[in-house]
Amino acid sequence: LSTAFPLDHSVKAVHLWNWYNPVLAGPNTARQGLQLNARLKHRQLWNWYELWWKLHQDSMALALPEDFHHRREACLHQNIARYGPEHGSKFVPILAGGWCMHTRNGL
């Protein structure tokens, strides 16, 4: 086992400390800053957050089978119109307040 950095070659156990929870990282908050810095420093967090958002959306689709597609389309339509297709397509629906969130915290 190598101890050379960046130490991204092994299995990791992740505890979702609330400061790393992407849904709690609102715009211009300390949590958002911490998550952005962590993603930029540790490449493996990019993959982890992509997986987290995929599982989040899969769970919403199962929990809200009649409503999820409508929420997803409304979220995409609103944010693609506002930010263009590159950034707008990264928004997904969340339950909190019935609004959308950017899966990459604005990156």
Side-chain angles (χ1 to χ4, degrees):
L1 180 64
S2 171
T3 57
F5 285 99
L7 296 181
D8 57 359
H9 57 276
S10 62
V11 174
K12 306 290 188 279
V14 176
H15 176 303
L16 188 59
W17 181 43
N18 68 357
W19 277 78
Y20 286 99
N21 184 333
V23 173
L24 299 177
N28 302 315
T29 62
R31 281 187 179 108
Q32 182 188 38
L34 177 127
Q35 289 179 23
L36 289 173
N37 285 324
R39 279 181 151 187
L40 293 172
K41 183 173 174 78
H42 303 289
R43 182 178 176 199
Q44 66 211 26
L45 282 177
W46 283 102
N47 296 333
W48 187 86
Y49 278 116
E50 293 293 327
L51 175 62
W52 193 96
W53 278 112
K54 180 191 176 315
L55 295 173
H56 179 274
Q57 294 299 286
D58 290 349
S59 298
M60 279 191 63
L62 288 172
L64 305 168
E66 292 90 29
D67 195 33
F68 177 75
H69 181 72
H70 170 70
R71 287 176 182 246
R72 175 83 174 134
E73 291 302 314
C75 189
L76 286 173
H77 178 73
Q78 172 189 4
N79 288 291
I80 287 173
R82 182 180 293 163
Y83 301 109
E86 182 181 354
H87 295 292
S89 65
K90 301 293 184 205
F91 281 83
V92 295
I94 62 171
L95 289 177
W99 52 285
C100 304
M101 195 159 192
H102 195 281
T103 61
R104 295 188 176 169
N105 285 340
L107 278 183

